[in-house]
């Protein structure tokens, strides 16, 4: 009998108000039931908000360096439990252990960065235009923050949002993806053990249409951070706009790797395999387009197909596996639909295009797939697939490659393989993305740099790095006039 997990609301582990649960199954073997997790509703969110408001009152008055100390202990506990969390994560999400270890590590990096930030959280002191007057700014906590996170980075993305929000003195309510609820359960256990006041964090499991919607629409949750699809982000954006909420959106990508004719092809080959088929293509940063210079096109493709066919599919918890399953049935059906679209558009299927049989039939596996002859503007080239499907576009020049890269509605990451330093710097300027890699694939952002994209990928905010602390705090300005008389700004200094 699988365990029934609970929400964490009001300082205790509680069953959902409606008594309903969702099954969490291993995508590599759907016969493996990990547990039942709450299918919560708006009543659970209302209770969580009430508790989070109490949490905010206490936590926002804790000095920031002390808040940082709690996050340092969180990082220490994550280091201790890295292997156990990685194993649980591979079991519920499917990606290989090397990647789930990396996912936990991204959370550890974020914890230690946040711990240090507790002793910075800089404001500014600037000269006043008037004598005997002091002018300064500092950061203040905002309130209850609602976090809605996706399945593909079950630990890293929740920590990117949670740790800076907490460090800034807010309380948080998190709704993790219903496909990977176990990892955030483990994270909340760690937060509590590290000494976070229980009301400062609430965990409400469930679906986006119910729990996510209730969080976004709750008038006492002034800040929302969401990572997921561009379509859902648009709906959330409408509500938050109407309710004057602060909102950070991280959404889709259609990231391209450009391989120029002077590139190190061995390096580019390793890069594209990792970028396109790592995480089974389920990253918003995944390399889903390969833009090949015509002079290396045929040669590179031959090697790519052979290498893609050599990738070993399997259970992410087996050390020999290169590529795990997709997250669920609907995701695989979506990939199958795009393969059909590719065929209809006249692209040439070089390898993959089907699910493997045999023992892998127990999971949501799909063979690494490469389409050649994809034309800029085709649906296969324009739309996010979120699976192991790589579209190859042939170009004749660097300028054409830039046009193709920029010709999509998304703008998360891009990459260029070249040995020409001038071209590399031109690419950094010309590619319209939030992140550009030179001689590395489109995935692999580091936790201490700003992460995010332009156009339909985001709404101008960044996660990670230093900027995210501005998102989760309010700027307050203070003026102190110690002249003992009325001094009029803009007037008394300029009265001639
Ligand atoms: C995501 O795919 O949503 O840069 C995040 C990367 C990872 C994060 C990806 N560090 O690929």
């Amino acid at each position: 009998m699988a365990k029934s997990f609970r929400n964490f609301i009001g300082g205790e582990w509680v069953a959902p108000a409606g008594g309903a649960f969702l099954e969490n199954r291993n995508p590599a073997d759907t016969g493996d039931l990990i547990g039942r997790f709450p299918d919560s509703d708006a009543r659970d969110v209302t209770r969580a908000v009430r508790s989070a408001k109490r949490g905010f009152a206490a936590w926002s008055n804790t000095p920031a360096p002390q808040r940082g100390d709690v996050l340092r202990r969180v990082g220490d506990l994550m280091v201790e439990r890295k292997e156990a969390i990685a194993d649980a994560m591979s079991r519920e999400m499917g990606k290989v252990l090397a990647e789930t270890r990396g996912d936990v590590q991204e959370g550890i990096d974020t914890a230690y960065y946040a711990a240090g930030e507790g002793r910075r959280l800089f404001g500014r002191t600037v000269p006043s235009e008037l004598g005997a007057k002091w002018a300064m700014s500092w950061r203040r906590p905002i309130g209850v923050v609602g976090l809605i996170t996706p399945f593909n980075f079950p630990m890293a993305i929740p920590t990117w949002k949670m740790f800076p929000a907490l460090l800034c003195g807010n309380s948080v309510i998190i709704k993790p993806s219903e496909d990977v609820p176990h990892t955030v359960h483990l994270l909340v256990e760690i937060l509590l053990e590290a000494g976070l006041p229980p009301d400062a964090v609430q965990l409400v499991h469930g679906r986006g249409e119910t729990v996510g919607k209730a969080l976004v629409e709750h008038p006492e949750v002034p800040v929302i951070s969401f990572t997921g699809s561009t379509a859902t982000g648009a709906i959330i954006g409408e509500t938050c706009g109407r309710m004057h909420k602060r909102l950070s959106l991280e959404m889709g990508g259609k990231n391209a790797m450009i391989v120029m004719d002077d590139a190190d092809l061995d390096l580019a080959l390793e890069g594209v395999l990792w970028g396109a088929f790592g995480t089974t293509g389920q990253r918003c940063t995944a390399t889903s387009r390969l833009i090949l210079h015509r002079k290396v096109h045929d040669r590179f493709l031959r090697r790519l197909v052979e290498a893609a066919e050599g990738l070993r599919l399997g259970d992410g918890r087996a050390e020999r596996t290169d590529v795990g399953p997709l997250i669920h049935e609907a995701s695989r059906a979506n990939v199958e639909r795009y393969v059909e679209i590719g065929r209809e558009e006249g692209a040439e299927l070089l390898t993959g295009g089907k699910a493997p049989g045999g023992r892998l039939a127990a999971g949501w596996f799909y063979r690494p797939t490469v389409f050649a002859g994809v034309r800029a503007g085709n649906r296969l080239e324009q739309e996010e697939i979120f699976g192991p499907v790589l579209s190859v576009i042939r170009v004749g020049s660097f300028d054409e490659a830039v046009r193709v890269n920029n010709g999509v509605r998304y703008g998360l990451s891009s990459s260029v393989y070249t040995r020409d330093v001038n071209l590399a710097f031109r690419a950094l300027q010309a590619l319209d993305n939030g992140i550009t890699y030179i001689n590395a694939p489109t995935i692999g952002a580091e936790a201490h740099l700003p992460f995010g994209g332009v156009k339909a990928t985001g709404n101008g905010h960044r996660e990670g790095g230093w900027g995210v602390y501005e998102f989760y705090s309010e700027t307050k300005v203070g003026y102190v006039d110690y002249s003992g008389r009325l001094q009029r700004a803009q007037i008394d200094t300029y009265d001639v």
Side-chain angles (χ1 to χ4, degrees), residues 106 152-153 157 160 227 283-285 437 443-445 451:
E106 208 161 330
N152 61 341
F153 278 80
I157 293 179
W160 288 359
T227 298
R283 293 198 192 206
C284 19
T285 51
Y437 294 88
I443 69 177
F451 178 89

Side-chain angles (χ1 to χ4, degrees), residues 33-165:
L33 177 61
I34 296 160
R36 295 187 172 80
F37 287 78
D39 185 7
S40 315
D41 59 38
R43 287 170 291 176
D44 301 295
V45 171
T46 301
R47 292 186 46 219
V49 173
R50 224 178 288 139
S51 165
K53 286 184 71 181
R54 284 197 299 275
F56 177 70
W59 182 242
S60 60
N61 280 313
T62 305
Q66 286 180 34
R67 299 196 296 250
D69 290 343
V70 171
L71 289 165
R72 183 174 302 102
R73 286 195 292 276
V74 168
D76 292 344
L77 288 168
M78 289 174 76
V79 169
E80 271 174 34
R81 294 185 201 163
K82 182 170 173 179
E83 205 51 39
I85 300 171
D87 187 73
M89 197 193 305
S90 285
R91 186 175 169 205
E92 69 173 350
M93 190 278 173
K95 63 186 176 183
V96 299
L97 277 177
E99 292 191 39
T100 51
R101 287 180 191 126
D103 194 318
V104 181
Q105 187 59 46
E106 208 161 330
I108 295 167
D109 299 341
T110 303
Y112 290 145
Y113 190 99
E117 195 59 25
R119 289 182 185 272
R120 286 186 293 266
L121 218 59
F122 293 134
R124 291 178 187 221
T125 305
V126 298
S128 163
E129 65 185 47
L130 293 158
K133 190 179 172 192
W134 191 263
M136 62 194 163
S137 76
W138 69 99
R139 320 286 327 162
R140 296 173 80 213
I142 306 174
V144 179
V145 170
L147 309 175
I148 303 169
T149 55
F151 76 86
N152 61 341
F153 278 80
M155 180 61 90
I157 293 179
T159 65
W160 288 359
K161 298 182 191 297
M162 230 189 212
F163 296 171

